[in-house]
Amino acid sequence: MSNYEIIYNNLNQYRLDESEKKALTLLLMNLNPYEKPYLIGSRLDSTKAGGDIDLMIVTKKVEYEYSEFLKNIFQHSCNEKIDILLINENEISESNELFLKTITNFSKNLISNESDYPFQNINFSKIDHLLNIIDKSVNSIIKLEFAVNRIKEIDISKPIDEEEMILLDGETARFQRAYEKVVYFFKTYDRFLKGESSPTHRDLFLNMQKIGLIDNVEFWMNIRKTRNQIAHIYLEDFLESTTKFTVKIMSNKLIELKDKLINIKNNLNK
């Protein structure tokens, strides 16, 4: 049996049509002998239909040009979209480590048909660091939520008594801390996903918007501006202009993030 036939037959156990198997076989035949290819993603689920083909290749060549070379081989014979992830087993970046943590289903080696996936026992120390940051962010948001609930009945348009001032002061402090914890998470998550830090807060918020964590960059720029104002203005001078807006809208925006952060943590813990 030829190498083509062996590889093609290995692909019969996965959810691929004839044109996809033929194109993928041609791609795999162009790999170097030391490279290990695996299917990941939805094509391993026989109950689903369609979906991109997600191919991970453990290799020493992680150049963009090599990935495009392999894609062109596949797409010369098949119009289906294929995503190729190249990973150097000995030099795993933070972004790749984050991604690998989320993979719970993977194929056998598509060439050898052996169960030799190399990342089952990887040390995810960086992931643990990210999980710790998520926990601190969520805890700060829970404390902010508690403080917001305590000041719901305060009418800021009227004179504030001493007891109400203490409650507002506490909410404002927790607003600042929650913002700082969340932005630190944003920065850490951004580095994990991109491998580098965004140069400005606007770029950072734009990246968080692209992945669905926030929905309005300008609003988050205003949250940042408000947090900086609070840090430099006495609370009594700050109440009339922006505290009501901060309490009822900005704090609630931070609180809305709680479930999203918990979902990220749950996915990383799978």
Side-chain angles (χ1 to χ4, degrees):
M1 188 179 294
S2 68
N3 287 338
Y4 179 93
E5 292 172 316
I6 292 172
I7 295 173
Y8 182 89
N9 288 338
N10 289 344
L11 299 179
N12 283 331
Q13 58 193 301
Y14 307 113
R15 188 169 59 80
L16 301 165
D17 64 28
E18 290 301 309
S19 65
E20 292 166 347
K21 284 189 285 188
K22 290 177 180 178
L24 188 53
T25 299
L26 291 174
L27 182 158
L28 295 172
M29 290 186 66
N30 278 272
L31 297 184
N32 295 294
Y34 58 82
E35 294 178 320
K36 300 177 181 180
Y38 308 89
L39 282 177
I40 57 177
S42 63
R43 290 307 184 104
L44 298 173
D45 189 342
S46 60
T47 66
K48 294 184 178 180
D52 298 345
I53 297 173
D54 298 307
L55 178 67
M56 176 195 296
I57 302 174
V58 180
T59 178
K60 299 174 184 177
K61 300 171 63 175
V62 294
E63 296 86 357
Y64 172 78
E65 291 77 11
Y66 184 49
S67 175
E68 290 301 296
F69 166 73
L70 295 174
K71 282 184 182 180
N72 289 335
I73 292 174
F74 178 88
Q75 292 176 335
H76 183 74
S77 304
C78 179
N79 291 326
E80 185 60 67
K81 183 180 178 183
I82 185 169
D83 291 321
I84 300 177
L85 174 65
L86 304 177
I87 294 186
N88 185 333
E89 186 176 358
N90 298 316
E91 296 180 9
I92 301 174
S93 68
E94 288 186 348
S95 58
N96 282 341
E97 184 176 313
L98 177 64
F99 179 74
L100 291 171
K101 176 66 176 177
T102 68
I103 297 175
T104 57
N105 200 11
F106 41 83
S107 73
K108 295 179 180 179
N109 185 315
L110 299 178
I111 294 177
S112 69
N113 205 34
E114 295 177 355
S115 299
D116 59 358
Y117 182 74
F119 303 118
Q120 289 176 275
N121 299 314
I122 189 171
N123 179 11
F124 290 107
S125 57
K126 297 185 182 71
I127 299 299
D128 292 337
H129 176 61
L130 181 61
L131 291 172
N132 182 258
I133 294 172
I134 292 175
D135 284 339
K136 290 181 178 180
S137 299
V138 170
N139 287 338
S140 69
I141 292 172
I142 290 173
K143 291 177 180 178
L144 172 63
E145 189 173 19
F146 177 78
V148 168
N149 288 333
R150 293 189 68 189
I151 63 172
K152 281 184 176 179
E153 304 304 320
I154 297 178
D155 186 351
I156 300 177
S157 64
K158 297 179 180 180
I160 305 297
D161 62 31
E162 185 175 351
E163 182 178 349
E164 290 173 331
M165 181 66 71
I166 292 173
L167 293 177
L168 283 169
D169 196 6
E171 187 278 336
T172 303
R174 289 185 175 182
F175 169 81
Q176 292 184 76
R177 286 196 289 271
Y179 170 83
E180 290 162 3
K181 295 292 185 184
V182 165
V183 170
Y184 182 59
F185 164 75
F186 284 172
K187 291 178 178 179
T188 305
Y189 200 41
D190 192 40
R191 286 195 300 271
F192 268 82
L193 296 176
K194 296 176 27 263
E196 59 183 3
S197 301
S198 294
T200 68
H201 277 84
R202 182 176 293 278
D203 291 322
L204 175 66
F205 294 148
L206 181 60
N207 287 335
M208 295 302 102
Q209 183 183 54
K210 287 178 180 177
I211 62 176
L213 272 178
I214 66 174
D215 55 16
N216 189 314
V217 171
E218 291 305 322
F219 190 87
W220 275 82
M221 291 298 293
N222 284 331
I223 292 179
R224 179 173 183 265
K225 179 180 178 181
T226 299
R227 179 265 172 193
N228 291 340
Q229 286 178 327
I230 294 174
H232 295 96
I233 301 177
Y234 288 111
L235 185 62
E236 291 85 349
D237 297 328
F238 190 73
L239 285 177
E240 293 183 2
S241 58
T242 60
T243 297
K244 187 173 183 178
F245 183 58
T246 301
V247 170
K248 292 190 175 181
I249 300 179
M250 291 188 173
S251 291
N252 288 329
K253 270 297 180 186
L254 287 168
I255 292 169
E256 287 174 8
L257 274 174
K258 182 176 68 176
D259 289 342
K260 293 182 179 181
L261 297 182
I262 292 173
N263 285 336
I264 291 175
K265 178 182 177 179
N266 290 340
N267 288 332
L268 292 173
N269 275 324
K270 288 180 179 178

